[in-house]
Amino acid sequence: MRDLALIFGAALAAALCVGLLGAVALRLLRGRSILVHVVVLLAMTVSAVVAGVAVVAEAMFLSPHDLEVVLITVSAAAVVSLAVGWLFGRRLAAAAVWAGQARERERRIEKGRRDLVAWVSHDLRTPLAGLRAMAEALEDRVVRDPETVDEYHHRIRVETDRMTRLVDDLFELSRINAGALRLSLSAVPLGDVVSDALASTAPLAAARRIRLVAAESGWPTVTASEPELARVVGNLLLNAVRYTPEDGTVRVDAGRDAETAWLAVADTCGGIPESDLPRLFDVAFRGEPARTPRPGNGGGEGSGGLGLAIVRGLIEAHGGRVDVQNITDGCRFVVRLPVAGT
């Protein structure tokens, strides 16, 4: 019994030494990845077993040959244990990281849903209150003179159109987020899409004395769904016009690289704060403290801060990407799409 106690004590002492070294290593590596911690823990466990066996074998006064056989056997088992543990440790670490990322992504999505409901409720409540007030005034004949009645009718139509666009944007965004967007890809001349979008934006730009400038040539043909691409270009142009001061300029040009085509929309909005650039394509982000569009900036044509989020969703559905950067006196949005025929 005494011999067994001595053997147990020797093995325990050897394992404790290895354990202390492993604890120090884990403390020094506390900022490293999960995989590193799993490997260190596994190595510490196997090393503790090897150290205990080696100390006990040495204390038993085995012959050099027998001691060598024991150590080789234990080392072989340790190598296999470490290899299998490292392989499954990688999977475990990857699963843990993926689960953490999934939880974080779910939290962001849920927060986005709550914010979207709150912001859209505000964007709908404001025009609805105005519509109700004007409808009651017309119904109660508080307003009688023809000019005011016509003005009320015009404002009711404008607000109704604005809410219709907001609902359309919400539907489009829900299709994108749900993965229900079905694209009918074909070869689309980018110049034709830009020409139509410029024609649609021209009245708002003229009302605010903003110059729309487009390149005369160099328009590539891209692989895209024409209705969705038209919406992307229209949203980018509308966004540029809304945030460009009067007498400013919005410039559109395009080109192609080796395998991608690019479309750029640049404005003279004065630039975007660097802290806002990563959030610019988030749902309902306007870069303004107030949710209500400012008078005179094209607010009536707004989309509740959903325009750029829809742009990113549609472009990513095409397998492309969209970026934004500050330039002199403004900012520049660049869309990249696959070139037709590549």
Side-chain angles (χ1 to χ4, degrees):
M1 188 67 182
R2 182 174 177 275
D3 292 341
L4 293 177
L6 290 175
I7 290 173
F8 176 78
L12 180 62
L16 284 175
C17 292
V18 174
L20 289 175
L21 291 176
V24 172
L26 287 174
R27 182 172 180 82
L28 295 175
L29 299 172
R30 59 183 179 273
R32 303 297 293 274
S33 66
I34 296 177
L35 178 60
V36 172
H37 286 78
V38 170
V39 170
V40 171
L41 283 172
L42 181 63
M44 180 177 64
T45 303
V46 174
S47 299
V49 174
V50 172
V53 172
V55 169
V56 171
E58 180 69 26
M60 291 175 66
F61 301 103
L62 297 177
S63 65
H65 177 269
D66 292 341
L67 180 61
E68 184 178 351
V69 170
V70 170
L71 293 179
I72 290 175
T73 303
V74 173
S75 298
V79 169
V80 173
S81 299
L82 288 174
V84 173
W86 178 79
L87 177 62
F88 286 95
R90 286 185 60 188
R91 295 183 180 180
L92 178 63
V97 171
W98 181 87
Q101 292 175 345
R103 287 193 297 270
E104 180 62 27
R105 183 168 58 252
E106 184 62 29
R107 282 194 292 267
R108 288 199 306 268
I109 292 174
E110 183 60 31
K111 183 179 182 300
R113 290 195 190 104
R114 292 196 299 267
D115 291 343
L116 180 60
V117 170
W119 291 334
V120 170
S121 298
H122 182 283
D123 279 352
L124 287 175
R125 186 169 58 247
T126 301
L128 283 174
L131 288 172
R132 180 173 182 176
M134 288 184 287
E136 288 178 350
L138 292 172
E139 183 180 12
D140 297 339
R141 298 189 180 277
V142 175
V143 176
R144 291 178 176 273
D145 60 289
E147 291 185 1
T148 306
V149 170
D150 290 343
E151 180 187 354
Y152 273 32
H153 285 153
H154 173 71
R155 289 171 59 186
I156 288 174
R157 183 183 60 78
V158 169
E159 291 298 333
T160 303
D161 290 343
R162 177 172 176 263
M163 286 191 294
T164 300
R165 283 190 294 272
L166 179 57
V167 172
D168 289 343
D169 285 347
L170 285 171
F171 177 70
E172 188 73 15
L173 195 61
S174 68
R175 287 204 306 156
I176 293 171
N177 292 335
L181 187 64
R182 298 293 179 264
L183 301 177
S184 179
L185 300 179
S186 61
V188 180
L190 192 54
D192 294 346
V193 175
V194 171
S195 178
D196 292 341
L198 287 172
S200 300
T201 313
L204 177 61
R208 305 194 63 241
R209 300 197 301 273
I210 293 175
R211 295 180 297 276
L212 296 177
V213 181
E216 296 182 359
S217 60
W219 300 99
T221 299
V222 298
T223 301
S225 175
E226 187 168 355
E228 282 74 19
L229 182 58
R231 183 154 198 171
V232 166
V233 178
N235 283 5
L236 288 176
L237 283 173
L238 181 59
N239 180 77
V241 171
R242 288 182 67 236
Y243 288 99
T244 297
E246 292 186 358
D247 299 319
T249 301
V250 173
R251 180 179 299 276
V252 187
D253 55 354
R256 59 173 296 174
D257 299 329
E259 297 181 354
T260 62
W262 56 268
L263 168 73
V265 178
D267 57 44
T268 53
C269 66
I272 302 170
E274 293 294 330
S275 59
D276 287 346
L277 286 176
R279 304 171 52 203
L280 204 62
F281 296 97
D282 290 350
V283 173
F285 179 74
R286 281 178 173 162
E288 305 175 348
R291 295 295 309 157
T292 305
R294 296 188 303 269
N297 78 335
E301 301 293 331
S303 57
L306 305 179
L308 292 180
I310 291 174
V311 166
R312 181 175 63 179
L314 292 178
I315 291 301
E316 290 179 352
H318 282 83
R321 71 178 191 273
V322 58
D323 302 299
V324 59
Q325 61 183 359
N326 284 322
I327 57 175
T328 304
D329 298 330
C331 60
R332 186 172 185 258
F333 291 82
V334 180
V335 170
R336 295 188 179 276
L337 290 168
V339 178
T342 59

